[in-house]
Amino acid sequence: MGNAMGTDIYTLGADIGSAASKCVILKNGAEMAASTVESAGAGTGGPARAFEGVLAKAGLRREDIAMITATGYGRNSFAEADLVISELSAHAIGAAAFFPGVRTVIDIGGQDAKVLRLTEAGVLDNFVMNDKCAAGTGRFLEVMARILELDVTQLGDMDGKAEQSAGISSTCTVFAESEVISQLAKGTPIPEIVRGIHESAAVRTASLVRRMNLVLPAAVTGGVAQNRGMIRALGQELGCELMISPDSQLCGAYGAALHAYRKAGQ
Amino acid sequence: MEEKKSAKVILRELQDKIAQDVWDAKNRGEKIGWCASNFPQEITTAMGIQVTYPENMGAAVGAKGGGQRMCEYAEGMGYSNDLCSYSRINFAYADLKECAEQEIPMPDFLLCCNNICNCMMKWYENLALELDIPLLMIDIPHLDKYTCDEDRIRYIRAQFDDCVRQLEEITGKKMDWDHFREVMDVSQRSSRAWLRAIASMSATPSPFSGFDIFNNMAVACVGRGTVAAAEAFEALADEYEELAAKGETTFKGEEKHRILFEGIACWANLRFTYKALQSRGINLTASVYGPAFSFLYQNMDELMAAYAYVPNSNCFERELEMRVKDAIAHKVDGAVFHMNRSCKNWSGNLYELERRFREETGVPTVMFDGDQSDPRVFSEAQYETRVEALAEIMDERKRAKEAQA
Ligand code: SF4
């Protein structure tokens, strides 16, 4: 192991959310040595599995890790952590590393949506988060996928097959649910309904972005970033290109690991 | 020798006395009223009429943990959970006529003024029907312009005079206009002292923990027309100024950052909302409650206009200006906005207020969901995350500034 030779520094970031736990190990603050995603969050066995899993994948032991930073909803109950930072700061650090020069980061997670403004130097400068309403978050898409008997990961492909949009006007999860059901009853093709759902969620997310004033370039992170249909709808609504990364789901954990690396060096 | 009482103790005793005076009047058989918080108190004070404030009761019940129970009771009566929680607590109390956390005597008449919100109007109209008692109303239309013009002043004044006439009929007490002018003067004394106390927060560190405003404002709201209140606020302002001159503060710990807190406090979560800030060295040094309970005027017309300038009644630009000026004068590094689900009038423009405030001051801001007295709307984790991130941003900015220097 590099660490055994005493030259490499490994740090770990743990993003303990309410619905998922994610861990990233960074080598020398640059190279992602390993990552894990467990779909169980704070208060479950998820955090421990994500943590042990990431160590096993990297072939490291706890003692090999120079510093651990936890973030996310369950950050304060994650006993392995040396440091704790808010998920906003963690996402900002992660996004600045994933997308150098990015000024606006739209993170759509399971239960919340947030828009971060970064300075030119890549430092978090301000942010807005959704209010108590679930509209515009990943949960909205999950509920809609369930009614359509789809897995949430299929939504992007489905959207690509649509020739037009079914027009779902409600942003409220409960109201949109009944709109979707009546579209189904009318025989509207599923891809069109999916596109309508994405457009509805995009309108809601775009209004959050506008509360911050959009400064480009902009990127999308969080699980929803993998959904091409949603990215297309949001880009259209905002009238701009949106950057995404295949690791976007790991942005918070990556930022936490990078934070740990910077602190380890101090 | 008797030890000199602190202004805080004097204010608390005064608050208890004000509450007791209403009970005593009721027990003597006098007619007493329930009154909206921004109803011109000069009228009742000058006429020696005792009134009590359901909004203050709503805050106290919320702070003592009875908000949810009372709100749920009102919802069981058929009131929507979208209504202001002060009104729900009051509807429950009007029906139950008892409340473990705080009780107020039942009213013989109602004094309503809608300068703070129009929910107030339906609330009091409903009480008048339920309790079968007279409702006196002063209608102060929302200011859609920057200044309160002649027409508005005349409109308010006509109602003012009519209200006095009706009160004379109901209570049998006569208005003495000379005494009214004295009450105007005393109210000015109180308001100026209150503003002086608030202005001391511009010192670094601020001489006191800003959450104290939430405790002291009750007297500013209801008692400012009395000499006792004027003296208490003068003592408070003196104390704060003295502390500021010595560079001392009652804030616990180092004052690392200063913020503006926008909105009514979450009474039911007061400790949590305070602790999350205080534990990070964040002190509240600006709040609209400063200007909100001080009414400055020189004559009758200006008095009418002053009641049209209460924060909730103002045009957006004036609302914004009030906050921005306060934030700059009191040197804030950030702001916390309470999206209060009870208060539609206050929260309706909050997204825009936050956006413009941020643009004009350049400081970072956060917003959280909550309610003044209904704890079901508040999430500790949501608040904590936002405050923590705000603290991190303020830390980072401070570091960058120090590095530059
Ligand atoms: S709605 Fe707002 S202004 Fe009106 S009584 Fe309730 S808290 Fe006060």
Side-chain angles (χ1 to χ4, degrees):
Chain A
M1 284 302 1
N3 200 43
M5 293 163 53
T7 48
D8 294 322
I9 295 176
Y10 290 95
T11 57
L12 191 151
D15 180 0
I16 314 298
S18 52
S21 307
K22 299 154 208 166
C23 284
V24 162
I25 292 180
L26 273 188
K27 183 176 166 184
N28 299 323
E31 187 188 319
M32 191 151 29
S35 68
T36 43
V37 176
E38 286 285 335
S39 52
T44 69
R49 283 201 300 279
F51 179 68
E52 278 147 26
V54 81
L55 285 174
K57 268 193 183 176
L60 295 170
R61 291 158 307 161
R62 170 66 180 92
E63 311 81 85
D64 301 325
I65 308 292
M67 191 77 81
I68 299 178
T69 294
T71 187
Y73 172 70
R75 63 194 177 285
N76 291 318
S77 52
F78 186 66
E80 301 292 344
D82 300 304
L83 300 164
V84 162
I85 54 169
S86 75
E87 62 201 72
L88 286 310
S89 291
H91 268 89
I93 298 170
F98 283 3
F99 315 102
V102 71
R103 299 296 309 280
T104 302
V105 180
I106 304 163
D107 179 80
I108 310 174
Q111 295 208 334
D112 60 29
K114 43 188 173 278
V115 180
L116 317 180
R117 163 66 38 71
L118 273 62
T119 63
E120 277 168 17
V123 177
L124 178 63
D125 197 43
N126 228 324
F127 67 92
V128 289
M129 283 177 95
N130 67 311
D131 51 30
K132 63 179 173 174
C133 175
T137 70
R139 184 57 50 92
F140 176 81
L141 297 177
E142 274 169 36
V143 172
M144 298 307 138
R146 202 162 54 226
I147 313 165
L148 296 170
E149 295 183 284
L150 294 171
D151 186 82
V152 74
T153 55
Q154 296 172 284
L155 291 176
D157 285 344
M158 239 348 138
D159 181 291
K161 292 184 193 144
E163 280 169 10
Q164 52 181 357
S165 161
I168 304 291
S169 57
S170 301
T171 49
C172 164
T173 311
V174 178
F175 290 176
E177 200 172 349
S178 52
E179 261 190 85
V180 168
I181 291 168
S182 59
Q183 290 284 0
L184 280 174
K186 266 200 295 193
T188 308
I190 288 187
E192 291 180 15
I193 302 179
V194 170
R195 183 165 285 192
I197 290 166
H198 286 150
E199 284 170 4
S200 163
V203 168
R204 180 79 186 188
T205 309
S207 66
L208 196 65
V209 177
R210 291 196 188 101
R211 274 173 54 198
M212 281 296 287
N213 295 348
L214 179 63
V215 179
L216 298 174
V220 182
T221 63
V224 176
Q226 306 310 328
N227 176 339
R228 277 174 289 127
M230 184 63 199
I231 296 298
R232 182 199 49 77
L234 188 56
Q236 205 172 316
E237 185 62 32
L238 291 169
C240 69
E241 287 281 323
L242 296 168
M243 298 186 281
I244 50 168
S245 149
D247 292 324
S248 62
Q249 217 190 334
L250 296 168
C251 188
Y254 191 98
L258 197 49
H259 173 264
Y261 176 74
R262 288 174 188 163
K263 292 289 172 189
Q266 278 176 7
Chain B
M1 204 180 81
E2 210 182 309
E3 220 180 293
K4 196 175 155 217
K5 284 182 194 164
S6 71
K8 204 169 156 182
V9 172
I10 301 175
L11 278 164
R12 208 180 33 234
E13 287 177 359
L14 188 57
Q15 196 179 337
D16 292 345
K17 183 183 174 302
I18 291 170
Q20 190 55 44
D21 285 349
V22 192
W23 280 108
D24 292 347
K26 181 79 185 177
N27 293 337
R28 280 196 303 271
E30 283 179 29
K31 297 254 196 292
I32 67 113
W34 280 1
C35 185
S37 63
N38 281 277
F39 183 91
Q41 54 81 32
E42 289 82 354
I43 297 181
T44 48
T45 309
M47 294 178 78
I49 294 171
Q50 293 294 338
V51 293
T52 183
Y53 296 79
E55 289 154 79
N56 286 0
M57 174 184 168
V61 171
K64 291 177 187 165
Q68 182 168 341
R69 187 189 76 249
M70 295 295 270
C71 283
E72 282 172 352
Y73 182 88
E75 286 154 27
M77 290 168 71
Y79 292 107
S80 162
N81 67 355
D82 264 343
L83 289 173
C84 166
S85 53
Y86 287 165
S87 75
R88 276 177 285 153
I89 290 172
N90 190 234
F91 287 142
Y93 183 66
D95 191 55
L96 290 164
K97 299 187 178 55
E98 59 179 27
C99 175
E101 290 77 15
Q102 195 182 72
E103 294 189 348
I104 52 176
M106 292 304 288
D108 303 293
F109 59 89
L110 300 159
L111 297 179
C112 184
C113 183
N114 60 341
N115 49 1
I116 44 169
C117 71
N118 278 326
C119 157
M120 204 84 224
M121 235 156 64
K122 289 289 153 195
W123 168 3
Y124 275 52
E125 206 174 79
N126 197 62
L127 282 176
L129 274 173
E130 292 281 340
L131 303 172
D132 194 21
I133 52 175
L135 163 63
L136 279 60
M137 168 84 196
I138 294 189
D139 173 38
I140 298 189
H142 192 95
L143 257 192
D144 54 353
K145 300 203 179 59
Y146 191 81
T147 35
C148 181
D149 56 27
E150 268 305 305
D151 285 349
R152 280 170 196 267
I153 289 175
R154 283 213 324 274
Y155 177 66
I156 302 168
R157 177 67 204 259
Q159 297 177 73
F160 198 89
D161 292 341
D162 193 43
C163 181
V164 170
R165 191 189 48 72
Q166 290 182 69
L167 268 176
E168 287 180 337
E169 251 169 49
I170 294 172
T171 64
K173 295 190 176 180
K174 280 268 160 272
M175 172 62 96
D176 169 353
W177 289 102
D178 286 336
H179 184 47
F180 185 87
R181 268 178 284 279
E182 281 164 23
V183 170
M184 279 171 73
D185 289 345
V186 174
S187 304
Q188 292 307 284
R189 241 181 93 186
S190 295
S191 292
R192 278 194 301 268
W194 173 249
L195 284 180
R196 191 154 62 82
I198 297 293
S200 72
M201 289 196 289
S202 63
T204 317
S206 163
F208 63 101
S209 164
F211 267 64
D212 286 353
I213 294 178
F214 296 134
N215 298 325
N216 295 334
M217 66 177 212
V219 175
C221 163
V222 308
R224 61 182 178 276
T226 64
V227 175
E231 285 172 358
F233 286 123
E234 281 163 359
L236 187 73
D238 289 347
E239 265 177 32
Y240 287 163
E241 283 177 350
E242 217 174 290
L243 282 172
K246 288 192 276 185
E248 290 174 6
T249 176
T250 62
F251 180 71
K252 290 197 176 63
E254 184 201 350
E255 182 185 273
K256 282 206 269 178
H257 302 296
R258 303 154 64 93
I259 56 149
L260 171 134
F261 187 97
E262 174 61 37
I264 305 180
C266 295
W267 299 114
N269 315 89
L270 199 60
R271 214 186 137 65
F272 187 88
T273 46
Y274 163 72
K275 271 275 157 205
L277 293 166
Q278 182 268 334
S279 64
R280 296 181 170 88
I282 302 173
N283 193 12
L284 184 166
T285 63
S287 145
V288 78
Y289 276 129
F293 287 117
S294 57
F295 293 78
L296 295 176
Y297 47 74
Q298 304 291 341
N299 53 46
M300 276 299 243
D301 279 1
E302 285 183 18
L303 185 153
M304 303 302 141
Y307 279 94
Y309 289 138
V310 306
N312 276 0
S313 191
N314 276 326
C315 76
F316 179 80
E317 294 302 328
R318 195 184 261 275
E319 296 258 358
L320 177 70
E321 183 188 87
M322 203 185 297
R323 272 89 176 168
V324 170
K325 272 190 180 162
D326 211 28
I328 293 171
H330 295 179
K331 308 184 198 86
V332 307
D333 312 301
V336 173
F337 285 72
H338 174 195
M339 175 56 85
N340 183 347
R341 295 295 168 178
S342 259
C343 191
K344 311 293 182 286
N345 204 17
W346 204 324
S347 298
N349 63 14
L350 216 56
Y351 286 154
E352 185 59 5
L353 195 75
E354 182 197 28
R355 197 182 67 79
R356 288 280 305 279
F357 177 87
R358 208 165 40 211
E359 262 178 23
E360 303 212 358
T361 61
V363 302
T365 62
V366 291
M367 189 178 287
F368 71 97
D369 279 299
D371 187 285
Q372 69 233 14
S373 284
D374 184 347
R376 292 170 295 175
V377 189
F378 179 78
S379 150
E380 290 189 351
Q382 193 209 52
Y383 180 79
E384 184 85 29
T385 298
R386 282 155 174 76
V387 166
E388 187 172 9
L390 177 69
E392 287 166 355
I393 296 176
M394 292 192 296
D395 280 342
E396 195 54 49
R397 287 192 180 195
K398 201 172 178 178
R399 253 198 305 277
K401 216 162 136 190
E402 282 165 3
Q404 237 176 23

